Structure formats: C-alpha cells, structure tokens
Amino acid sequence: MPESLIAGIPVHFPFEPYPVQRAYMEKVIQCLKDGTNGVLESPTGTGKTLSLLCSSLAWIRTRQSEHQQQMIKLDKGADLLGGGAGGGPELSDLAKTMGKANNWGVPKVIYASRTHSQLTQAMRELKRTAYSNMRSVVLGSRDQLCIHPEVSREVGNSNKVNMCKLRVHSKTCTFQLRVESKKDHPDFRGPSIMDIEDLIKVGQKLKMCPYYASKELVPQADITFMPYNYLLDPKARKANKIELGNTIVILDEAHNIEKICEESASVQIKSSDVAIAIEDVTHIMKAFASDSPQDMAGDEPKDFTIDDLMLLKEMLLDLEKAIDAVAVDNPIDGATYPASMIYELLGKANFTYGNVATIVALLDKLVQYLMVASQQQMSLRKGGSFTLLSDLLTIVFANKESVMGKVHASFKVHVQVEESKQPQGKQAPAKQAGGWLSKASLTNGSTGKVAKIINFWCFNPGFGMEQLLNTQVRSVILTSGTLAPLKPLIAELAIPVAQHLENPHIVDQSQVYVKIIGTGPDRQPLISNYTNRDNPKYISSLGQTILNVSRLVPDGLLVFFPSYPMLNKCVDAWQASGLWADIASKKPIFLEPRGKDQFTSTMEEFYQAIRDSKGACFMAVCRGKVSEGLDFADRNGRAVIITGLPFPPLKDPKVILKRRYLESNRTRENQLLSGNEWYNLEATRAVNQAIGRVIRHRNDYGAILLCDSRFKDAAQVQQLSKWIRGHLGDRPQCSPFGPIVRELRQFFKNAETTMKQPDERESGAPLETVIKKEDEPLAPISQIKREPGSNATFKAANETAIKVEMANSIKSWSPDDYACAAGRKLGGSSAPNAMDFMSRLDSNVSSIDFNCMDSRNGSNSSGLVKIHKRERSSPPGSSQSSSQTAKKRYKLVENISTIKVEPPVEVKKEVPESRAAFLREIRSLVGQDQFRAFGQALLEYKDGSKDKFEALMKVVFEVLGGPRCRHLLVGMRKYIKADDKPEFDIRLAKLEKS
C-alpha cells in the first residue's frame, strides 16, 4: 500500500489520500503526538473511518518501533555491564518486566461508536488496511455473545445478565469453564481481527464462551472496539474492567454524544418498582421462614440473613412512604425539584453514602437468589425491581460529596404521575381506587395518593465527559459527519480542545443537487410548522411533491418526516385520497417499522426491490434507525426528501428543563447556547444526519430536496453542514416547483451519462483481495470452453460477472437473482436475453474480454475480467420490443493475444441549440456561485468594451474549461461577437493542446 508522510509519521493508506483525508489524518496525529483532544467533522463518504484508523494505528506502530529500538539498546547495555558490573542483567530483566506490564508505555486505542453495526463496519475497514495484523478485539454484551442455550432463551438483557452471573458463580456454565483451557487455542489467538460474528463462530467451534473469552484478548490488543455506554457509563466501565489510563479514546459518530453523556448520568425509579421490590423481599422472607421447596439453595449457606431482609424491607417501606409524600400539584405537567431532593428522599429511607455499597451488594445477591428460585417456579419474578433500585443507588451516589455544588447545578429531579395499568373485568374500578398494585395499605381515602415516577435527570453533558477525562486518558477525539457547529458542542462538553476541523465534501459540486422547495406543484406553501401541519391542503401538496419527484428519481428515494405522528397522518390522508396508490405505482413504498425484527425484514425487502430494478421509496423519521444507522450508497439512495424540521416536543418536561438549564448557566465565558438556539440546533442536526444517508463515497451522486420554506432562514442555514451550505449559496431562496422538475431531470440525465455507475467502477487492487478472501478463486481461463452460443460459455460468463460485481461492493447477486430479473429459471431451454445478466452489467455493454493476460503489458491479472463499453445506436433508456432486443449480439473474445479489443468509443456531446437550453445545461453542471458569475460576466460583455471580453474569457474558461463542460465551451463560440471570435478560437486551441 502507498506510504504517505503525514505530520512526520509514515502512514500506509490503501490509495493516495485525498486532500480532505490528509488534512483529517494530520489533525488526528497531532492530537496523539501532543496528548490533546480534538473535535473533527468530515462528511459521510470522505473516508473518515479509514483515515481515523490508519492515522491512529500508524502513530501507535511508530511508537512501538521506537520502544523496540530502546529495548535493543537496553539489551546491549546489559551485555556490556554483565561482565563486570554485577546487577546489569537483573536491571535489564526488571525493566523488561515493568515495560511489558505497562505495554512499554505505548498508549492503546479505544474505538467507541453508537451501535455494534457501526463497530462491525469499522472493523471491516480495518481488515482492508496495512494495519490488519495489529491486534484488535470487540467487546459485546451477553445478549450478543452468549451461546449458552438456556441463558440465550431468557427474555430481556437484564435477565440474561443475571442468569449468566448465576451460572458462572455456581460453576454450572461449561462454556465459561472452558475459557481458561481454550483461550490460547490457535483458532482463537490466530486471527488478529475478530468481530462479533467471528467470536461467536470460534466460541461455538471450541465450545467456549465468547463473552468471557473476548476479555482475555483485551490486555494484548492494540485497539479495542466497544459501544459508547461501556465508556461513559460508570457501571458498565466497572463491570467490564475497562482501564483508561494512557489510552486514546476515539468517539466515532459523536453527533449524539451530549445526549449519551446526559443519559448515562440520569436514572428513574417508579412507585410500582418500589412496591414490587417490597413484595419480592416479603416472598424471600416467607421462603426463609417456611423452608419452601422453591428454595433451590436451601441446603447451602446463604449470602444474606433474615435480619438483612427485614432491614431492607423497612428501608423500602420508608422509601415508599417518602415518595407518597412528594407533592405533585399539576398531575399533567408534573413537578420539578432541585437535585438535593433525591438525596433527601433517599435519606428518609436511610440510604446514605456510608451504607450504599453494602445495600447494592445485598440487592445483587437477592437477584441471584430469585433467578435460582424462578427456575423451579416459573411464576416468580426474577428480581428486576432490585436491579432498578441498584441502578438508582449506583448512579445517584456515584457523584461524590465533594462535587455537590456541580451536581446541584447540573441535575434536576422531575416527579410525574405514574399511569396505572387499567385491569380488565369487574374488579377494575376497585383496583383503580385501591392505588398502585392494588394495596389497600397504600391508599388513603381522604388524600387519594397516586403512584409517581421520580426522574433524576442530568442536563450537563460535560459532567459525564469530565469523569472520563479524570481517568487520565491521553487523548479524546470526537468525530462524526455532522458535528457542526463545533463551538456549541465544545462548550457543552467543557473539554479542552486543541484541534478542530470542518472538512469539505470529497465529491464535486456537480454530483449533488440541493434545493429548497417552498411550494408544491399546486403552489401551496410547504411549511411543516405546528399551525400548518394539520392543513389538508398542505398534506396533499406534500404528497403531490413526492409523487412528482418519484417519477424523476431513479432507484431509491428516501423521505424523512419530523415525527412518527406526522408520518402516520400523511400516510392516512394519502391512502384516503389515492395519492398513496399513485406513488406506489411508480415505486413500491416501505415504512420504517419500530420493531427490531420487522425493521430487518423491511430493509431487506427494500434492498431487494432496488436489486430487482423496480426502484423503491422508503418513508422514515428523522432520529430513527434509518436516518442514523444505515448506508444508502449508489442505487439504494439517489435522492432524499426532508419534509420538515424535526424539533423536539416543545412541551416535553425534559426539553423545557434543558432550555431552562442553558439559560440559567449561560455566560460569556462558557459560550453555551441559549435555550432557543439549542432547540433549533437539535432539529438541524437531525436533518444533517438524514441528509448524510445519500452521498456515501466519492463516486456517488444524488439529490437533496428540503421541502420546508423555513430552510431558507439564515439561522437554519448556518446550522447545516458546511458542505450543504456551499451548495445553497450565500443567500438561499425557495425555488419554484416547475424549474426544479426540469433541473432534477437534467441532473440525473447528466449524472447517468458522466458519472461512473456502480457496476463499471474500476476495481483497482482491492478487487484481488476481496475475491481471494470472500470467494473461491476464479477458474483458470484456459479451462473455459468457448463454443460460441453454448450454454456453458454463458454460465461461465455469468459466474465471472457476478464475482466482479461483488468485488465492486455492489449488492451480491446469485444466478437465481439474474434469473428472477429475466422471469425464468436457470438451466431452462430458452436462450438468455438482454434482460438477463448482460443487462445487469450495463445497457451499453457489447464486448467482454475474458483474457487473463493484460493486453498492454502482458502481466498476469489473476484472471480478472475487464468490461469494455461502446455506445449502442439507441439510447439506453429507449423502449424496444423483445424481438429487437433478441437481435443484439454479444461477442465473447477468445484468449488469443493477437486479437485487439476495441477501445471505448468516445461519445460526442451535443450542444443545445436554443440559448435557454444552453444556459439550463450549464446551470445543471456547475455550482450556483459559478453560474451566477458566468451570467454576470455574459451580461456585462453584451454591452461592454474589450475589457469585458477579457473578463468573460477568464470566467468562461474557468467555469467551462473542465472535461465535462468542454462541449459547452466549444458551443459558447456562437455567443461571442464576430470581432472577438478569432481570439476565442486561439484560446480554445491552446486549451485543446494542453
């Protein structure tokens, strides 16, 4: 792989890095060198993850090399001292032992992201690099890694955790018991990179627990992958024994980091949780008194006594009484109290800093006891209420008494009325009157006590980040495709940042079409604010807009709504009016489901519709799974429609308190946002994230349509990602719908003509790697029988084409998929037609070279296929009868070195005849600012002097001088005055020669 010297560190990159990648890696390396923190934004598709991994691991490898050299010198010094100075070798051995225990002082990398799917993608990127031999490991939950059949069957993550702990403690998990004997097995230690799937496969093969085995790899790992909560949640950090001293912490996809920091420090407890805990303690006490057969551990010494249970029950009853006494004057909005209230509430039940550790340990033991008992009696609960109480105490008392001032400023207690579950049948009214859990003892007829929810909310993300920095980490790097604006983020997290970056996009301006649509086809204003969102005319106009766009956009179309209620409202209205059926006739429609299983199947159906060349429309919600966690590269997403600004619920108690917190703590020094600024930024960040689903790599292209007139407001524009602002220009305006239709049609027509399509991209070096690792090697070309028209030849070509498609990162097709596209079964008697695999290559393919020797230099190319293109006489999109299609012939070139393969025929682009069409094509190919400069220069030249001609030439050759616009530059001659044409011809000739 090419080596680049970046910030003084040799970095091996899969290809020559682009300027944006080089700038990004320089910032990363500078952070690691100086031991400082960084906030780096680089749009999706710019190779952010690859740059992050290569730069950080290159620096680690350089440090490792330096320390190896130091050890060699130490060994040489020991040899010199060994002869006469006695103590030299002992000193050397001591230094080696200390160095090894401390990883020779070289920091390790912890790479954290939001979801395991994002971590898996990052590990795949790592496998592509020159650093794939560096040791790495991923930490997952028991829910993902446990292979014990009984534990896996448990419903809910907490139940799985407790059941696993029970079996490990009682030494009844054979998988965990094998970890010690199998942890050095070559199948486990051999691979340098093991993701979740790899760990499960090896664990099943060796009958060894992947969850506990993965922890054995952490001490030797150069880079450890884990979800955010393992780092930011003190409980998870402690449970997983994560040491952060002298580590480099990388937080990828960090656009939600403030919210995650706040949530990791927040907790909730309900009245019903306390009542259930009292019942569970009572049940255990009865089992102790009666020596019930439900008690599996009856013959064994208990970890707790009846006195412990009595004391705990008394404390829980006091806590219940204290919660009952909390006043909630407004049951709808709830009541807000200062942070000190939670400590006073728990203090009334005698939960204090002095005894909390003992109580948490007792609660854990009780959970284990109930897990055992529930195996005998399935109706028993498994201690979930004890787990919730333990979490409450752990989080509340994790804040040391010395930082109480900061706690009072950063936290609030919000009390809500708990909605009671309405029972069915005749007993419903009595139970409702009896209070929560139907306990007469909890209800006072005169006061009418109700169940409550006690929320302990953190509103300062810097509180959680400060705890992370206090672990003596070397560097923290926050990165994402949508972090802008950076200043408010840095201010909220309150971390010292030495390096920050806002990268432009890697794609050319002509690859993205961005417009604000202020009115629909019927000229109805498009604005999804509170007062207009219920307007039937607006909903209808929005549907008409989506229908018209769906006719123009090829393949995948994504439509994002501000919320689920808005999505459901539009769907109901469109189904009633018939708009839904009209859209579905153009593209099958898929709705974002909320369930995990449904989500997976829906996404697969969507991708299948794209593969079947039907196209598809996916309607989803901003902040949902589709908007943040999925990749819609190439055909999967050619356009995204944002139907409105997804503001948080204005009257949500948490939103109200967050805005109050910002207003009360905002100063000129800390540069915090105001409450309104934060509220607006929350919406725009969700939009930025949804927009990022479309442009996923340097060869991708797509349209971004903002269907809400509020996007033209300066405050909203400034919060959009920098690369989007560049497309909207200095003064964004809403565009009429009519011109947008014409421009959008022209944009996709030009993109399909000028851009490399997914199945014709150059594979380069990675092609061999992909085929070698993921597929069986291609059969030697000499063994292919080349009988023209034979079925064997067709099958061989089909299989080879599929491998090339897979290697180019296109969704993998099986021969059955090609058969389905043609509407027939493989192996049938009917001859293959253009709708079979040839149409999957490209509508213009007419010659395929299966030679394994490169015709230019004769070097072996590992049997790879080269596809040569030449234009057909008819346009790709024209409709032809099946008889005409059958007449097309496809030539299979034999493996004879003397045969010359026809070079690609360059298609001469036609210049539009009319002035209006000429200007429209220029506008579709260049950026908005360039087109504005071009138009201004043209107007000045029309009535100007010789100086204006020079100014026009400078602009024209700058705007139209590139290869994609050269035909327009030639066509510009007809608009040049007769006296100036000779000079124009001379300049054009010079450009052609260069």
Coordinates of all heavy atoms in Angstrom, one line a residue, residues 93 135 138 288 333 367 468 662 680 734 754 898:
D93 N 16.3 -7.2 33.2 CA 15.1 -8.0 33.3 C 14.0 -7.3 34.0 O 12.8 -7.4 33.7 CB 15.5 -9.3 34.1 CG 16.4 -10.2 33.4 OD1 16.4 -10.1 32.1 OD2 17.1 -11.0 34.0
R135 N -3.3 -6.3 16.7 CA -4.2 -7.0 17.5 C -5.4 -6.1 17.8 O -5.3 -5.0 18.3 CB -3.6 -7.5 18.8 CG -2.3 -8.3 18.6 CD -2.5 -9.6 17.9 NE -3.5 -10.4 18.5 CZ -3.8 -11.7 18.1 NH1 -3.1 -12.2 17.1 NH2 -4.6 -12.4 18.8
V138 N -13.3 -6.8 20.0 CA -14.5 -6.0 20.2 C -15.2 -6.6 21.5 O -15.2 -7.8 21.7 CB -15.5 -6.1 19.0 CG1 -15.9 -7.6 18.7 CG2 -16.7 -5.3 19.2
F288 N -37.8 -18.2 53.6 CA -36.8 -18.5 54.7 C -37.6 -19.1 55.9 O -37.1 -20.0 56.5 CB -36.2 -17.2 55.1 CG -34.8 -17.0 54.5 CD1 -34.6 -17.0 53.2 CD2 -33.7 -16.8 55.4 CE1 -33.4 -16.8 52.6 CE2 -32.4 -16.6 54.8 CZ -32.3 -16.6 53.5
D333 N -48.4 18.2 34.0 CA -47.0 18.6 33.8 C -46.0 18.1 34.8 O -44.8 18.1 34.5 CB -47.0 20.2 33.8 CG -47.8 20.8 32.7 OD1 -48.1 20.1 31.7 OD2 -48.3 21.9 32.9
V367 N -31.0 -10.8 43.7 CA -31.3 -11.1 42.3 C -30.9 -12.5 42.0 O -31.6 -13.2 41.3 CB -30.6 -10.0 41.4 CG1 -30.7 -10.5 39.9 CG2 -31.3 -8.6 41.6
L468 N -14.8 11.1 32.5 CA -14.0 10.3 31.5 C -12.6 10.9 31.5 O -11.6 10.2 31.6 CB -14.6 10.4 30.1 CG -13.9 9.6 29.0 CD1 -14.0 8.1 29.3 CD2 -14.5 9.9 27.7
L662 N -29.8 25.8 30.2 CA -28.9 26.6 29.4 C -29.0 28.1 29.7 O -28.0 28.8 29.7 CB -29.2 26.3 27.9 CG -28.8 24.9 27.4 CD1 -29.4 24.6 26.0 CD2 -27.3 24.7 27.4
N680 N -33.3 24.9 18.2 CA -33.2 24.9 16.7 C -32.1 24.0 16.3 O -32.2 23.3 15.3 CB -32.9 26.3 16.2 CG -34.1 27.3 16.4 OD1 -35.3 26.8 16.3 ND2 -33.9 28.5 16.6
C734 N -36.2 29.9 -1.8 CA -37.0 28.8 -2.2 C -37.2 28.8 -3.7 O -37.4 29.9 -4.3 CB -38.4 28.9 -1.5 SG -38.4 28.7 0.2
T754 N -22.3 11.0 -17.3 CA -21.0 11.3 -17.0 C -20.4 10.6 -15.8 O -19.1 10.5 -15.7 CB -20.9 12.9 -16.7 OG1 -21.8 13.2 -15.6 CG2 -21.3 13.6 -17.9
T898 N -3.2 -11.9 -30.0 CA -3.2 -11.1 -31.2 C -4.5 -10.4 -31.4 O -4.5 -9.4 -32.2 CB -2.9 -12.0 -32.4 OG1 -3.9 -13.0 -32.5 CG2 -1.5 -12.6 -32.3

